[in-house]
Amino acid sequence: MTGSADQDLTVGLDIGTSKIVAIVGKKNSEGQIDVIGIGSHASKGLKRGVVVNIETTVNAIQRAIEEAELMAGCRIHSVYAGIAGSHIRSMNSHGIVAIRDREVVQADIDRVIDAAQAVAIPADQKVLHILPQEYVIDNQEGIKEPLGMSGVRLEAKVHLVTCAVNAAQNIEKCVQKCGLEVDDIILEQLASSYAVLTDDEKELGVCVVDIGGGTTDIAIFTGGAIRHTAVIPFGGNIITTDIKEGLKVMQNQAELLKTKFGKAIAEEANPNEIVSIPGLRNRPPKEISIRNLAHIVEARMEEIIELVHAEIITSGYASKLAGGIVVTGGGSQLAYIKQLFEYMTGMDARIGYPNEHLGKSKVEAIKSPMYATTVGLVLSGFRA
């Protein structure tokens, strides 16, 4: 049973820089997702969201899928896969067509969407998503669903997302080498938005910031529609690397220090708190100051937030985000990160959990922001 063999099941596959996660979801009678299987494996075949080693990535996907199959008690044949990376581009576009029979039918909507995507894009890029924002019929704006309405001229305003052809092909190749089909490839911050944003926030104006291992992904919504997307090629891994180099510890120790003791605001760390980590090859244990650790974390997080804030301002929607910022992804679990976002941007912020869309789950940890993208990929499958 899978998303392709059983209409009730959908599989999301988040191919991330630091980990690969597969979730098997089933829609319950209340419209929520019951997670019946989850698999996760460390990812070392990607750099900043892009596949750089096919074999390593295939092995990690295989392990995550097998783990999810074992827990769900089913065979997976197809997945909805996520895509990220600095190769992602986006733009707003519009198209205009004549309404043939003075009443909008599906064929008119299809034609106007085709007209809206008829823009020049580089040869190495392909259209990933065409996301309708609103329709206009004879100068009447703000129409969400034009089907059946009367008029002469139909206009569509859309948000186009493009990605590098080779980046998408490499994801498909990795999935197919595992004996799986790709139902669709979904922009990761779009998937995250499905999992953590409310319709009210999208209407008011909100920015979702998904801090992953290799990238920080941004999506801005106003008036109930997506308006801007962007990818910042830095994520939680640069914090880990700086801890490793600054405190002279191993990579796995740096990651553990970050997740267990890291704080986004150094002043909140106790200056007298010390943590001891094992020394190398019979050397004595090394003592680490939690305040020093926090200074490293804060410095790197400030850089990421500055880039996020600059992107929000450049988008032109900074004054329209009454819903503030929703921070999600593995990087959002740092202590005091909400407060740092509010202090540096002057906007309200909250941590985005995928709880609202989740029903029963065999794994309680699935409600963590770390799994927002994968839950969103499952939701994408049910929306398709």
Side-chain angles (χ1 to χ4, degrees), residues 52-83:
V52 293
N53 186 315
I54 295 277
E55 189 179 345
T56 306
T57 305
V58 168
N59 290 339
I61 292 172
Q62 195 78 58
R63 295 282 293 276
I65 290 290
E66 286 170 359
E67 202 177 310
E69 285 178 332
L70 193 64
M71 185 182 290
C74 71
R75 188 96 174 90
I76 295 172
H77 296 294
S78 62
V79 299
Y80 286 85
I83 190 169

Side-chain angles (χ1 to χ4, degrees), residues 21 32 82 84 138 176 185 201 207 247 252 261 269 339 367 374:
V21 181
Q32 293 179 313
D138 298 344
Q176 287 164 357
I185 294 180
E201 284 175 324
C207 175
L247 300 179
N252 61 335
F261 302 104
Q339 291 85 340
K367 294 179 179 178
T374 328

Side-chain angles (χ1 to χ4, degrees), residues 62-317:
Q62 195 78 58
R63 295 282 293 276
I65 290 290
E66 286 170 359
E67 202 177 310
E69 285 178 332
L70 193 64
M71 185 182 290
C74 71
R75 188 96 174 90
I76 295 172
H77 296 294
S78 62
V79 299
Y80 286 85
I83 190 169
S86 53
H87 59 91
I88 301 289
R89 301 281 181 271
S90 69
M91 70 188 86
N92 292 323
S93 178
H94 72 279
I96 304 172
V97 297
I99 301 170
R100 283 178 176 161
D101 297 320
R102 298 296 180 97
E103 183 178 302
V104 178
V105 295
Q106 189 59 48
D108 295 316
I109 297 172
D110 294 340
R111 283 191 301 116
V112 79
I113 294 293
D114 284 343
Q117 67 167 313
V119 295
I121 61 171
D124 62 344
Q125 293 264 313
K126 74 168 193 173
V127 175
L128 184 65
H129 296 299
I130 309 159
L131 305 166
Q133 297 170 328
E134 66 171 328
Y135 297 90
V136 181
I137 297 177
D138 298 344
N139 298 321
Q140 182 185 342
E141 297 183 341
I143 297 168
K144 300 295 185 188
E145 182 48 75
L147 197 64
M149 296 187 71
S150 298
V152 175
R153 188 183 68 173
L154 177 65
E155 182 178 351
K157 296 180 180 179
V158 304
H159 185 68
L160 287 179
V161 179
T162 68
C163 68
V165 174
N166 64 344
Q169 286 175 342
N170 284 335
I171 285 175
E172 288 179 354
K173 190 178 292 184
C174 289
V175 173
Q176 287 164 357
K177 277 180 174 284
C178 295
L180 305 169
E181 291 297 316
V182 179
D183 288 322
D184 201 1
I185 294 180
I186 313 288
L187 182 66
E188 295 209 338
Q189 59 262 52
L190 185 63
S192 298
S193 74
Y194 295 151
V196 302
L197 297 185
T198 66
D199 289 340
D200 287 344
E201 284 175 324
K202 291 178 184 178
E203 195 66 41
L204 270 174
V206 68
C207 175
V208 60
V209 179
D210 187 340
I211 306 173
T215 61
T216 298
D217 306 326
I218 299 167
I220 292 175
F221 294 79
T222 66
I226 191 163
R227 307 291 174 178
H228 183 78
T229 49
V231 177
I232 293 167
F234 302 106
N237 286 0
I238 67 160
I239 301 173
T240 305
T241 301
D242 270 28
I243 293 170
K244 173 190 168 186
E245 294 173 358
L247 300 179
K248 304 292 188 291
V249 296
M250 292 170 62
Q251 184 81 12
N252 61 335
Q253 291 174 327
E255 181 65 26
L256 192 61
L257 285 167
K258 179 186 77 174
T259 54
K260 199 167 182 182
F261 302 104
K263 292 176 172 58
I265 298 177
E267 284 184 4
E268 298 293 341
N270 184 342
N272 301 318
E273 189 178 355
I274 302 291
V275 61
S276 181
I277 61 172
L280 289 174
R281 292 185 64 88
N282 302 322
R283 293 175 189 171
K286 185 167 188 162
E287 294 191 335
I288 304 291
S289 162
I290 296 300
R291 175 64 72 90
N292 287 347
L293 172 68
H295 277 298
I296 295 171
V297 173
E298 181 181 28
R300 292 293 78 80
M301 269 318 308
E302 282 181 345
E303 289 178 1
I304 291 172
I305 295 172
E306 279 173 6
L307 290 169
V308 169
H309 195 206
E311 190 63 47
I312 292 172
I313 292 167
T314 303
S315 75
Y317 291 98

